[in-house]
């Protein structure tokens, strides 16, 4: 058997995880649709609710997003009045993001929809297995 044939039959971990991530993201986005949020935006609101106002760079790190991706996610949230982006207190060049009252309301409205997606996925994939995979892949 040739090496190319063996590779062709082998499951590519990266490809399988990317497909799974797209499927899971789609399930959450569909569940959150009544709130007008995507799952990444929901996660941003959750982080801001938990941590309070944060510089964009720190918020991006908390959400495991690139700074430019964070900026693209913040734009629609800011337009909807769910977050406020302004100059940082210590450094006017830095941008500070804070959750607004409207953002907090939408976040709490979204939680049951998020929970529904969580439960739906948990029926298909054991949450302990998800935690174990995430832990194994993030360990150095």
């Amino acid at each position: 058997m040739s090496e190319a044939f063996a590779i062709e039959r082998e499951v590519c971990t990266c490809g399988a995880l990317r497909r799974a991530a797209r499927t899971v993201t789609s399930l959450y986005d569909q569940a959150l649709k009544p709130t007008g949020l995507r799952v990444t935006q929901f996660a941003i609101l959750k982080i801001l609710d938990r941590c309070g106002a944060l510089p964009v760079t720190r918020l991006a790190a908390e959400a495991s997003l690139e700074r430019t991706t964070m900026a693209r996610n913040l734009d629609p949230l800011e337009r909807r009045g769910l977050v406020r982006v302004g100059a940082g207190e210590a450094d006017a060049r830095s941008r500070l993001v804070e959750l607004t009252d409207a953002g907090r309301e939408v976040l709490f409205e979204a939680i049951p929809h998020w929970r529904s997606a969580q439960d739906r996925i948990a029926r298909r994939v054991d949450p302990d297995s998800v935690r174990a995979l995430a832990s194994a892949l993030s360990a150095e």
Side-chain angles (χ1 to χ4, degrees), residues 16-88:
L17 290 175
R18 288 174 58 96
R19 281 188 299 280
R22 283 192 299 273
T23 299
V24 168
T25 298
S26 178
L27 288 169
Y28 279 100
D29 285 347
Q30 196 60 34
L32 291 167
K33 199 170 194 164
T35 67
L37 294 175
R38 298 183 61 87
V39 70
T40 306
Q41 295 167 333
F42 173 81
I44 291 166
L45 297 181
K46 275 181 45 179
I47 292 166
L48 291 170
D49 186 55
R50 178 175 40 95
C51 297
L54 292 172
V56 173
T57 304
R58 168 111 185 271
L59 180 58
E62 289 284 330
S64 298
L65 295 173
E66 296 292 327
R67 193 179 191 290
T68 55
T69 303
M70 177 57 71
R72 283 193 307 272
N73 277 279
L74 288 174
D75 286 342
L77 294 174
E78 187 175 23
R79 279 193 305 274
R80 285 182 64 186
L82 305 181
V83 300
R84 187 173 13 264
V85 181

